[in-house]
Amino acid sequence: FVDSLVMRTFSARAAQLEAFEKGEVDVIIGLPSESVRTLVEQQIDQFKNKNTGYILERFPEMASSYYEFNLSRPPFDDVRVRKAFSYAIDRNKIIDEVLKGEAYGPGIYGISPPAFKEYDVSKVKGYDYNPDAANRLFYECGYKDKKVFPGVKIVLNSGGANNTKVALEIQKQLMEVLGIRVDFEVKTLAQKLEDAKFARADITRANWLAEYPSPENFLWMFYGANVPSALDKPSYPNTTRYKNPEFDQLFNKGRMARTKEESHMYFSQAEQVMMNDAPVLMLWYDESYRLIKSRVKKLPANPMH
């Protein structure tokens, strides 16, 4: 049994790793992939001999990262524009080159992450990288002349360097595929949330970590029955102001189902309806690295932190 537990905080990742190597810390959760690469390179001989004294683990989190569209005004009140944006993004390139592999996204399904063991996310079809489809939809909307496309801005929250790096890559990809320039602005988390609730932004960066292990916790953000019609009224958690009676009906059936299997069936159907309407641009599903001393036993990874 463990007699005591000491939680330590570090202002720098390097200090965290140094404490671990000195034996002052037994577990590190949420290690950045750059630190993992450095560690493996430094300890490659020990890894080959399987005598490192610690275990390096990688596990999926119940968390999804995405951009929210503002459906209350042009141009994202048109589902074809939203789909064009979703088809224009090469998520594998973002994961490989920007996130350095610290995310999951070989296939994008819905809003629910693959970390759920009993909920089959592969039943939901999302948007893969398809420049031809993106341009075809853009032309259908009357944007063959890219100069007539209105200027739009992505609002990010401060506090994460990756947020800006991802926005820069998305800005670059949208220019390469659709020929349009999208700006971005960094705000405090509080201001970003306030702007999202009152539909002030065109696109908002978002991430959702499960509060309880069910797809319901991700889908409730798109329930439209409580969305106000007036923009001066806050809308939360449905900050996209997405409304679809079919989604609401399936979502409610999932909540009232008598069995988990029946519940998941309805949630999966609701999620597909929502993805067909594309109120969000799905980017990736979060993953995490953990370093743990070999002497620490029976400490399972928790995908909900």
Side-chain angles (χ1 to χ4, degrees), residues 3 7 12 18 34 39 46 76 96 105 128 139 145 162 172 192 194 200 204 223 236 244-245 258 272 297:
D3 295 318
M7 305 286 286
E18 184 179 356
E34 293 92 338
L39 181 73
Q46 293 186 49
F76 299 117
D96 293 340
D128 293 320
Y139 293 163
D145 180 1
N162 275 344
K172 177 183 174 183
K192 187 206 76 167
E194 194 72 4
R200 294 171 186 153
T204 307
Y223 187 65
Y236 188 84
N244 186 321
R258 293 177 179 271
Q272 187 63 69
K297 307 295 183 182

Side-chain angles (χ1 to χ4, degrees), residues 269-290:
Q269 293 174 11
E271 192 162 2
Q272 187 63 69
V273 169
M274 183 272 292
M275 288 302 295
N276 291 344
D277 291 334
V280 295
L281 191 163
M282 289 303 306
L283 292 174
W284 65 81
Y285 308 107
D286 293 13
E287 288 191 331
S288 186
Y289 287 99
R290 181 172 78 163

Side-chain angles (χ1 to χ4, degrees), residues 189-205:
L189 178 59
Q191 187 59 58
K192 187 206 76 167
L193 292 173
E194 194 72 4
D195 287 351
K197 284 192 293 185
F198 287 94
R200 294 171 186 153
D202 302 306
I203 305 174
T204 307
R205 183 242 171 217

